[in-house]
Each structure stands twice: as structure tokens, then as C-alpha cells.
Amino acid sequence: MSDGSADRQRLRALPKAEIHVHLEGCFSRPQIVALAAAAGEPLSRPPEALFDFKNLAEFLGFLDWSCGLVRTIPQVELMAYAFAERLAENGAGYADAIINPTHWPSWRYRLPEMIEALDRGFRAAEQDGLPPVGLCLSLLRQQSADEAVELLDMMIALRSPRVVALSIDGNEASAGRTGPRFADTFRRAAAAGFRRTAHAGESSGPEGIRDAIRLLGAERIDHGVRAVEDASLMDELRDLGLPLDITPASNVRLGLYPSYEEHPVERLRRHGIPVSISTDDPELLETTLIGEYARMVETFGWDDEVLRSVARTSIEVSFAPPEIKRDLLAKLAAW
Ligand code: ADE
Ligand code: ZN
């Protein structure tokens, strides 16, 4: 690509969905500084070093602190509205947004209130013409089976159309094998009409991806990049058409791969596995959705045909309602 700004405009215009992005990762440095001041809490590190993460474990620990600063309903409403604004800036027409309640201690005993506040923020955004958002409520790998049941029971009792899926994230390297612990809850979630997505193949290897498919009934894998270590698993993902929600900047920033050149997204895509591109935690990892697509163009020479097919996957495998998918796919055909 030649002129950077013109290329970015084209990537912005590319109709797409963002389907692997955490609300936990959407606070900018100034926002965190302001939230800490409002909460009367000292910063956990100097502002300029706030986002210097050595690895996933340190990153997840930071989320417990930063999300703990969010304590009021207006803060939650604003966060939801700002999330939709960021989507629009990046030309995303829809998002599945993950939220993991374990990172938000102030809302431990009032989770429904938090979800209702998020819903109001997303609704206000939609009324202002910003993109719609579905919520994926996420378990942490360290949680117990009882805690998983508690979250799902709350989701069922709440009956909020905003909540579209059950998700699971966190650190599988430190939690160990947890698929069996959560299998029943994921089965019940499916029976209750919730979609299912699971982080695997980031801090776990191919075995974590296999468990996500076989034990959790995951319809999509968040990350899944370590499938590249197992040829038979790559074949299985391709044959099942099971999509990987890939976040290259996150994987490089958190030390999974030393460079974009060594990131396996292109090998997985060329193998015929459906891949989409997202940001994971855009503000904390200092990336944008347009930036992620631009990096794939620079690193792997993605042409318009590849861009269209990756964007199509992001829309088709999203948990968006059918009318939103139809609209975005029609716009994509005209891009
Ligand atoms: N929560 C937020 N970002 C995450 C990641 N990259 N892996 C696991 N859990 C997360
Ligand atoms: Zn993630």
C-alpha cells in the first residue's frame, strides 16, 4: 500500500465486526488516571509505565486493579458509550464484547445493575447511530464449578437480550486443565439459548483448544493460535469450519510471539481455517482494529480479496442478530 492515510480510510470503510474484545481492555491511560483520582486510589505504577506488561499474568493482575476503579453507574454507562464510539471510529458495524465479572470487584454483589447500566450506554449509543454491541459474560479459568453455575443462573434469571453468550478467559497456564470443571455449565448455557466462545490456545497449547471444542462446545475459539503446533488439530478446525478470533498485537505485546512475521495467523488462514481479526484489549495494548488490519497488509501482503474474506468471517461468525449480519454482508459486497 502506498499512501498511508488513504489506505487507512479504505480499511475503515471495510465493513467488519469485532468479535474478540474485552471491556476490561478499553480504558485509555488518561481515563485510568482520572478513574484512580475519582476513586482516591494511588496509581499502581507511574503513568508512563502503566501499560508496560511483561506477560499475560501481569496483564490480568492489572485488570483487577484498573477495573476495580470503576464504581459508579454513570462511569459504566459512559464506558459502554465510548466502546461503541471506538467501534465506529474503526469502521466496525457490530461487536461481541467480553466482560469478565471477576475483574470488577465493586460490582460483585450487583452484577445485574452493572449489566443494565452497560445496556443503557449501548442503547444510547445505538440511538446516536453508533454500532450495536452484544455482551459475552465470561468466566475466569481459576473459578470454581459453583461460581460458573452462579454466573449462568444470573444470566438466565436476567433474561437480557443484551447478553448473547457465555465465554471463558484468563490464564490456562496457571489454572491448569479446567475444561472438565466447566463442561456442565457450558452445556446448560447452550440449552438456555446462549452462544459459546472460549479463550484457548493462547496460554494453553493444542490440548486446550481440543477441550474447548469437545468439553465446552465452543462455537468459536478466542486466540486458538497455538493450533499451529498440531497438524491434525489444524485439519480438524478446517474440517469443522471452527473459527479462530485472532488478535495479533495482543499476542506480540504479551510475548507469545516475538514479531508479527512469526505470528501464525497467515499459516492458519492458508490452511483453510476461518480466521477473523480483533484487538483483544485495544487501549491497554495500544492498538486499534484498523491498525490490526493494516499490520496484516504490511506483514503478509493481504490483498482486497483476503481482507474481504477475513471481514466476511468476522461478520458471519459473530453473535449478531441475522438482520445486522445481512446488512453488513450487503455492505461488504459493495466494498
Ligand atoms: N482477558 C483479557 N485479555 C485476555 C487475554 N488476552 N487472555 C486471557 N484473558 C484475557
Ligand atoms: Zn481475549
Side-chain angles (χ1 to χ4, degrees):
M1 288 198 171
S2 48
D3 171 7
S5 69
D7 295 335
R8 287 194 164 245
Q9 280 310 314
R10 282 198 81 229
L11 291 176
R12 180 171 192 273
L14 176 70
K16 54 193 164 311
E18 173 145 42
I19 60 175
H20 177 178
V21 54
H22 302 255
L23 285 168
E24 287 85 16
C26 291
F27 296 113
S28 66
R29 207 183 301 260
Q31 280 171 326
I32 291 178
V33 171
L35 284 167
E41 299 276 351
L43 288 183
S44 58
R45 331 165 178 198
E48 62 283 4
L50 218 44
F51 296 170
D52 293 349
F53 306 112
K54 281 199 289 295
N55 51 40
L56 179 64
E58 192 184 283
F59 176 78
L60 295 174
F62 182 85
L63 299 186
D64 293 334
W65 174 77
S66 58
C67 299
L69 302 171
V70 177
R71 298 179 184 175
T72 71
I73 295 277
Q75 286 171 338
V76 175
E77 290 171 348
L78 271 176
M79 166 173 84
Y81 193 97
F83 182 89
E85 283 183 311
R86 185 182 307 95
L87 292 177
E89 282 159 21
N90 284 275
Y94 171 83
D96 288 323
I98 301 166
I99 183 162
N100 182 323
T102 67
H103 293 303
W104 307 81
S106 310
W107 303 90
R108 170 77 182 86
Y109 298 105
R110 45 181 186 144
L111 200 48
E113 264 184 81
M114 187 191 199
I115 292 167
E116 283 156 17
L118 287 170
D119 180 51
R120 281 194 298 280
F122 290 137
R123 236 179 313 132
E126 259 186 86
Q127 278 160 9
D128 290 346
L130 296 171
V133 177
L135 269 183
C136 306
L137 292 198
S138 207
L139 295 163
L140 194 74
R141 287 280 179 181
Q142 272 78 4
Q143 285 187 284
S144 68
D146 284 348
E147 286 170 317
V149 168
E150 190 190 325
L151 181 70
L152 179 61
D153 285 348
M154 189 280 291
M155 289 165 65
I156 292 170
L158 193 63
R159 290 175 180 278
S160 166
R162 181 68 60 190
V163 179
V164 295
L166 179 66
S167 152
I168 186 161
D169 58 31
N171 192 338
E172 290 175 276
S174 62
R177 185 181 184 214
T178 58
R181 190 192 303 163
F182 298 114
D184 275 348
T185 296
F186 271 80
R187 208 173 301 121
R188 272 186 65 221
F194 291 107
R195 312 298 300 268
R196 284 93 48 217
T197 184
H199 276 56
E202 177 200 33
S203 52
S204 63
E207 72 292 347
I209 301 171
R210 286 208 168 84
D211 276 1
I213 301 169
R214 304 202 198 328
L215 299 178
L216 305 183
E219 299 172 83
R220 303 193 316 234
I221 306 292
D222 293 321
H223 298 293
V225 285
R226 291 188 56 195
V228 79
E229 296 167 21
D230 183 326
S232 73
L233 178 58
M234 295 234 287
D235 289 349
E236 182 177 345
L237 291 169
R238 179 198 58 208
D239 296 345
L240 290 172
L242 208 105
L244 305 183
D245 312 330
I246 296 182
T247 61
S250 165
N251 298 150
V252 171
R253 275 292 299 267
L254 296 178
L256 195 53
Y257 300 106
S259 68
Y260 292 102
E261 287 73 18
E262 284 157 276
H263 193 285
V265 57
E266 184 64 352
R267 275 173 283 162
L268 295 161
R269 188 188 72 77
R270 283 183 180 267
H271 198 77
I273 298 167
V275 303
S276 68
I277 296 292
S278 291
T279 58
D280 211 10
D281 299 281
E283 293 288 348
L284 299 188
L285 299 173
E286 299 172 297
T287 186
T288 63
L289 190 56
I290 292 176
E292 299 273 350
Y293 275 87
R295 219 172 278 117
M296 296 300 96
V297 170
E298 286 156 21
T299 309
F300 300 113
W302 284 8
D303 61 16
D304 283 1
E305 196 187 328
V306 177
L307 290 169
R308 207 177 280 114
S309 101
V310 171
R312 184 181 306 114
T313 297
S314 74
I315 298 165
E316 283 174 344
V317 309
S318 77
F319 300 148
E323 63 279 10
I324 290 175
K325 288 191 186 189
R326 265 198 304 277
D327 176 54
L328 285 174
L329 289 170
K331 288 179 176 147
L332 181 63
W335 180 72

